[in-house]
């Protein structure tokens, strides 16, 4: 039966494919694709864990048998027997083998996927006793996952074997019957960690959906960096969609259509082809300079997460990197002690050097680590923050200043990489003069350490993020110390309007066109221009074509966005006359309803 789930559109376009569910677990579970030659190794990991758990249960059963009736009730022996039966059940082991061998899931992912499928079967049973056995199954799987923890193979993303997408001519019961050709996959999850997003970024998904998140949650931002259709804040999508269901993701409308009819498939297939044609038309602008009709040159820069992203930035026509989110180098390293999880100076230096070389002489702006809020460094941090408000806690520069050794390591690596090309150093979430002084002092100290070692390093321009209203209201202090400012509109909107940008329940209140937000942005741009300092917008507003004309009218000449948005924004720039836009932008700022004024 066809039904629709509504959420928030965060990455445009249409995706059609089979659902792949990422199921939540009480312990942290890695999700990645293995290589075909690793199938037997992963199956053997499950087999080894199953044998070990079977031995554990057998020993417990033997101990129970030796106890008297007062020490161990007979129900305990029966429960252990049920666990043994579930452990050996072919529905569990056979399903796990299927997901490993057919979809190339790693063993843990295959286990949680099959658990979800069997658990739903238990939920549909009429007998209450049998329904309750779902909890026993969950306990058995948790035992297996604990056994496998620490024995995972090295992450090795690899495309799973797939079959082709459905079309209007297919039998909707089995659109792939008998053809064996490739089909796209779409990812469905309650939520995704930034580390998971990075892993999936290297794989084969045509789109994704999450139950939680807002338009500028980090999950949504990385979705746009994958340049695939995505919907977040879809509430119960992961509960309603089943493994291998056919799904359409409408990233323009924020709608997820499950089990679509042939007519609906045909309609969305047409929309998908139209989107491809539009992207083709935009691609012709790649090598055209971004100059307005009245001759104003506009700088279109790229936001990246990893050094490898520079390939896409150059291909999209970016004239530099306006934001390298360095925290992604620190994520997904949940093994060993905290010290071994953090990349050392040499590893960071090599990553920044690759980014500089990848941009082929164009400037690269590296933001120092910005963890916290919707970007916890690891699962431990995430659990610790569960009942706090991490957006107002120890994050970004606060986190760095609280750990000077870690911060100095990063600063030394960035300074060394600057010997290979133009690097701008960007500091996030500054709000206090004392933080500015501490930061500048540590940068000087990092230089002194490199001097003492006789290490080669380069000069960097220093910049600060304006993402807290307090910073936007005290620009005079910032412009005394920094060469340029970069407006992080995602957090600026969040803090100005007191809205958690990752919380779908208040997402409707997240408003980039709010008069207070626009006033802070406009004043920051104007003050930088008055003092001859560089200013850019690197938040999601920069890549939103609905705001391109307004930002140009406010005097902005440097936009930094995901590479997938550059050509669309360039098209708006090429059509704009900034002389005419200035008066219009002033009217928008003075309006009680800027969104309506922009649309009018």
């Amino acid at each position: 039966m066809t039904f629709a789930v509504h959420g928030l559109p965060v990455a445009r376009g249409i995706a059609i494919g089979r659902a792949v569910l990422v199921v939540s677990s009480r312990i942290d579970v890695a999700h990645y694709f293995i290589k075909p030659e690793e199938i037997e190794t992963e199956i053997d990991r499950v087999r080894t864990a199953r044998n070990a758990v079977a031995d554990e249960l057998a020993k417990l059963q033997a101990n129970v048998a030796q106890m008297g009736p007062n020490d161990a009730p007979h129900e305990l022996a029966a429960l252990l027997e049920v666990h043994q039966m579930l452990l050996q059940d072919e529905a569990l082991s056979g399903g796990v083998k299927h997901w490993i061998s057919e979809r190339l899931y790693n063993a843990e992912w295959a286990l949680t996927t099959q658990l979800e499928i069997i658990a739903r079967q238990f939920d549909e049973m009429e007998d209450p006793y049998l329904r309750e056995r779902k909890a026993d199954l969950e306990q058995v799987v948790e035992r297996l996952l604990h056994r496998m923890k620490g024995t995972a193979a090295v992450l090795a993303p690899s495309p799973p074997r797939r079959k082709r997408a459905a079309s209007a001519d297919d039998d909707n019961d089995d659109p792939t019957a008998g053809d064996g050709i490739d089909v796209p996959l779409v990812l469905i999850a309650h939520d995704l960690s930034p580390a998971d997003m990075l892993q999936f970024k290297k794989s084969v998904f045509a789109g994704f959906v999450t139950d939680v998140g807002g338009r500028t949650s980090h999950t949504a931002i990385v979705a746009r960096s994958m340049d695939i259709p995505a919907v977040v804040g879809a509430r119960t999508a992961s509960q309603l969609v089943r493994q291998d269901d056919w799904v359409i993701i409408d990233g323009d409308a924020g709608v997820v259509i499950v089990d679509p009819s042939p007519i609906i498939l045909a309609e969305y297939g047409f929309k998908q082809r139209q989107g491809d044609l539009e992207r083709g038309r935009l691609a012709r602008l790649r090598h055209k300079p971004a100059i307005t009709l009245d001759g104003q040159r506009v700088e279109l820069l790229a936001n990246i997460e990893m050094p490898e992203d520079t390939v896409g930035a150059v291909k999209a026509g970016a004239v530099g990197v306006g934001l390298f989110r360095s925290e992604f180098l620190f994520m997904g390293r949940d093994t060993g002690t905290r010290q071994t999880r953090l990349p050392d100076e040499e590893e960071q230096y090599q990553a920044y050097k690759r980014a500089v070389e990848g941009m082929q002489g164009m400037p690269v702006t590296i933001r120092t680590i910005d963890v916290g809020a919707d970007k916890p460094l690891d699962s431990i941090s995430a659990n610790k923050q569960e009942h706090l408000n991490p957006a107002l806690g120890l994050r970004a520069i606060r986190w760095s200043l609280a750990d000077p050794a870690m911060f100095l390591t990063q600063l030394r690596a960035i300074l060394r990489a600057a010997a290979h090309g133009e690097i701008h150093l960007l500091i996030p979430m500054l709000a206090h003069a004392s933080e500015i002084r501490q930061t500048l002092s540590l940068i000087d100290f990092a230089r002194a350490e490199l001097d003492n070692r006789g290490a080669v390093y380069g000069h960097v321009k220093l910049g600060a993020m304006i993402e807290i209203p307090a910073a936007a209201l005290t620009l005079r202090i910032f412009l005394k110390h920094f060469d340029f400012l970069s407006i992080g509109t995602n957090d600026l909107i969040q803090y100005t309007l007191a809205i958690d940008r990752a919380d779908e329940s208040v997402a409707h209140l997240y408003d980039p066109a709010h008069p207070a937000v626009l006033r802070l942005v406009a004043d920051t741009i104007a003050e930088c221009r008055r003092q001859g300092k560089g200013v850019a917008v690197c938040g999601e507003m920069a890549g939103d074509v609905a705001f391109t004309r307004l930002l140009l009218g406010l005097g902005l000449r440097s936009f930094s966005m995901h590479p997938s948005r550059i050509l669309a924004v360039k098209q708006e720039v090429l059509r704009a006359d900034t002389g005419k836009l200035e008066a219009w932008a002033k009217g928008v700022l003075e309006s009680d309803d800027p969104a309506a004024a922009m649309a009018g």
Side-chain angles (χ1 to χ4, degrees):
M1 180 183 72
T2 302
F3 64 91
V5 181
H6 294 264
L8 301 170
V10 293
R12 298 174 181 179
I14 305 294
I16 304 172
R18 289 280 198 184
V20 172
L21 266 66
V22 173
V23 183
S24 300
S25 172
R26 282 176 286 184
I27 70 170
D28 192 35
V29 172
H31 301 95
Y32 56 91
F33 290 115
I34 62 171
K35 294 176 181 176
E37 58 267 27
E38 295 170 333
I39 290 173
E40 289 305 318
T41 302
E42 289 298 286
I43 291 175
D44 190 56
R45 289 180 61 224
V46 180
R47 187 184 300 115
T48 301
R50 185 187 65 187
N51 293 340
V53 172
D55 289 343
E56 286 177 6
L57 293 173
K59 288 175 183 176
L60 288 171
Q61 286 175 301
N63 290 338
V64 168
Q66 294 172 4
M67 295 178 184
N70 294 329
D71 297 320
H74 71 277
E75 288 87 357
L76 180 55
L79 180 63
L80 291 171
E81 182 62 31
V82 168
H83 281 209
Q84 280 282 25
M85 292 171 60
L86 290 170
L87 185 65
Q88 305 299 334
D89 188 0
E90 178 60 27
L92 180 62
S93 58
V96 171
K97 287 179 183 176
H98 166 78
W99 298 119
I100 293 174
S101 60
E102 296 301 317
R103 279 285 175 79
L104 298 182
Y105 291 179
N106 66 298
E108 292 86 350
W109 190 4
L111 259 174
T112 53
T113 297
Q114 189 61 15
L115 167 63
E116 176 70 9
I117 289 170
I118 299 175
R120 289 190 181 193
Q121 294 171 1
F122 276 114
D123 287 337
E124 293 167 359
M125 292 177 179
E126 294 183 7
D127 188 315
Y129 174 80
L130 292 176
R131 278 202 307 272
E132 290 301 316
R133 300 288 63 77
K134 181 176 83 167
D136 294 315
L137 177 66
E138 290 171 342
Q139 291 169 17
V140 167
V141 171
E142 293 293 332
R143 278 181 176 271
L144 289 168
L145 291 170
H146 277 292
R147 270 285 168 181
M148 287 192 293
K149 199 167 178 65
T151 66
V154 176
L155 296 184
S158 174
R161 282 172 276 177
R162 306 171 295 164
K163 295 182 179 178
R164 69 175 176 83
S167 73
D169 299 324
D170 287 322
D171 175 356
N172 205 48
D173 290 332
D174 186 6
T176 62
D179 62 82
I181 309 170
D182 279 358
V183 67
L185 303 175
V186 296
L187 190 64
I188 312 291
H190 176 69
D191 196 10
L192 291 169
S193 71
D196 267 344
M197 290 297 297
L198 274 185
Q199 194 59 43
F200 293 138
K201 185 175 178 178
K202 304 169 189 173
S203 67
V204 294
F205 294 107
F208 86 85
V209 180
T210 60
D211 296 342
V212 299
R215 283 186 176 86
T216 56
S217 63
H218 220 80
T219 306
I221 291 171
V222 181
R224 282 186 284 276
S225 80
M226 294 166 73
D227 195 20
I228 58 175
V231 173
V232 302
R235 300 297 181 95
T236 57
S238 68
Q239 298 170 37
L240 296 172
V241 180
R242 295 174 182 260
Q243 193 81 8
D244 265 1
D245 273 352
W246 279 99
V247 172
I248 295 172
I249 299 174
D250 186 338
D252 298 306
V255 175
V256 181
I257 301 171
V258 184
D259 192 21
S261 67
I263 293 175
I264 294 174
L265 276 171
E267 178 186 346
Y268 276 93
F270 175 75
K271 289 182 179 180
Q272 197 174 42
R273 290 189 293 275
Q274 290 296 106
D276 292 340
L277 289 172
E278 176 61 23
R279 280 190 289 274
R281 283 191 289 269
L282 287 174
R284 298 170 191 163
L285 303 177
R286 182 175 295 130
H287 302 298
K288 194 174 181 65
I291 301 175
T292 64
L293 294 174
D294 57 328
Q296 293 288 310
R297 183 173 290 274
V298 178
E299 197 176 43
L300 299 182
L301 306 166
N303 294 346
I304 65 171
E305 281 86 37
M306 299 296 279
E308 296 73 25
D309 296 341
T310 55
V311 176
V314 172
K315 187 177 178 182
V319 296
V321 169
L323 177 63
F324 180 169
R325 298 183 174 100
S326 67
E327 57 271 14
F328 282 89
L329 297 174
F330 292 70
M331 292 178 177
R333 307 165 70 97
D334 253 357
T335 56
T337 64
R338 180 176 180 279
Q339 284 68 34
T340 60
R341 286 202 306 271
L342 298 179
D344 61 20
E345 180 182 327
E346 186 62 24
E347 182 181 345
Q348 290 189 62
Y349 160 69
Q350 292 294 342
Y352 304 140
K353 179 172 174 278
R354 289 199 308 276
V356 169
E357 292 172 344
M359 289 310 294
Q360 305 170 15
M362 293 178 280
V364 175
T365 300
I366 301 174
R367 183 178 68 186
T368 59
I369 184 170
D370 182 7
V371 293
D374 59 346
K375 294 173 291 179
L377 186 60
D378 51 36
S379 56
I380 297 171
S381 303
N383 293 336
K384 183 178 178 182
Q385 293 172 351
E386 187 175 348
H387 302 296
L388 303 174
N389 188 340
L392 302 180
L394 191 67
R395 58 164 297 198
I397 190 60
R398 300 171 183 177
W399 194 85
S400 296
L401 293 177
D403 191 345
M406 180 282 302
F407 192 35
L408 285 167
T409 298
Q410 181 173 38
L411 292 174
R412 290 193 302 270
I414 294 172
L415 289 169
R416 287 174 59 198
H420 301 277
E422 185 178 350
I423 286 182
H424 304 166
L425 177 60
L426 184 60
I427 310 298
M429 207 182 170
L430 288 166
H432 302 272
S434 59
E435 291 174 331
I436 295 174
R437 288 193 296 270
Q438 281 180 272
T439 300
L440 296 178
S441 176
L442 284 168
I443 293 171
D444 288 339
F445 192 79
R447 290 193 184 102
E449 288 182 313
L450 292 172
D451 285 333
N452 291 336
R453 280 165 35 184
V456 176
Y457 64 92
H459 171 74
V460 295
K461 286 186 177 180
L462 295 181
M465 294 277 288
I466 301 299
E467 48 192 342
I468 298 175
L473 294 170
T474 54
L475 291 173
R476 180 182 54 82
I477 299 172
F478 281 76
L479 292 173
K480 278 183 181 178
H481 299 285
F482 293 100
D483 302 309
F484 68 97
L485 300 180
S486 190
I487 306 171
T489 52
N490 304 341
D491 273 333
L492 184 62
I493 297 165
Q494 170 173 252
Y495 294 132
T496 302
L497 302 183
I499 292 167
D500 183 349
R501 61 190 175 100
D503 185 346
E504 73 280 2
S505 63
V506 293
H508 62 289
L509 298 174
Y510 186 92
D511 182 11
H514 190 285
V517 173
L518 295 183
R519 175 53 60 189
L520 293 174
V521 170
D523 289 350
T524 301
I525 294 170
E527 186 60 28
C528 286
R529 286 170 65 86
R530 269 194 294 271
Q531 297 201 29
K533 295 291 182 83
V535 60
V537 169
C538 65
E540 292 300 295
M541 190 185 286
D544 187 342
V545 293
F547 288 93
T548 304
R549 294 169 66 244
L550 177 64
L551 291 172
L552 288 170
L554 295 176
L556 187 71
R557 297 295 181 266
S558 184
F559 297 66
S560 189
M561 67 205 76
H562 184 266
S564 67
R565 304 301 305 149
I566 287 176
L567 294 177
V569 172
K570 183 183 283 188
Q571 181 172 257
E572 292 297 312
V573 170
L574 295 172
R575 294 170 174 174
D577 184 328
T578 59
K580 294 178 180 177
L581 287 176
E582 286 179 13
W584 172 77
K586 184 178 179 182
V588 171
L589 283 183
E590 293 171 352
S591 170
D592 292 339
D593 189 353
M598 287 167 60

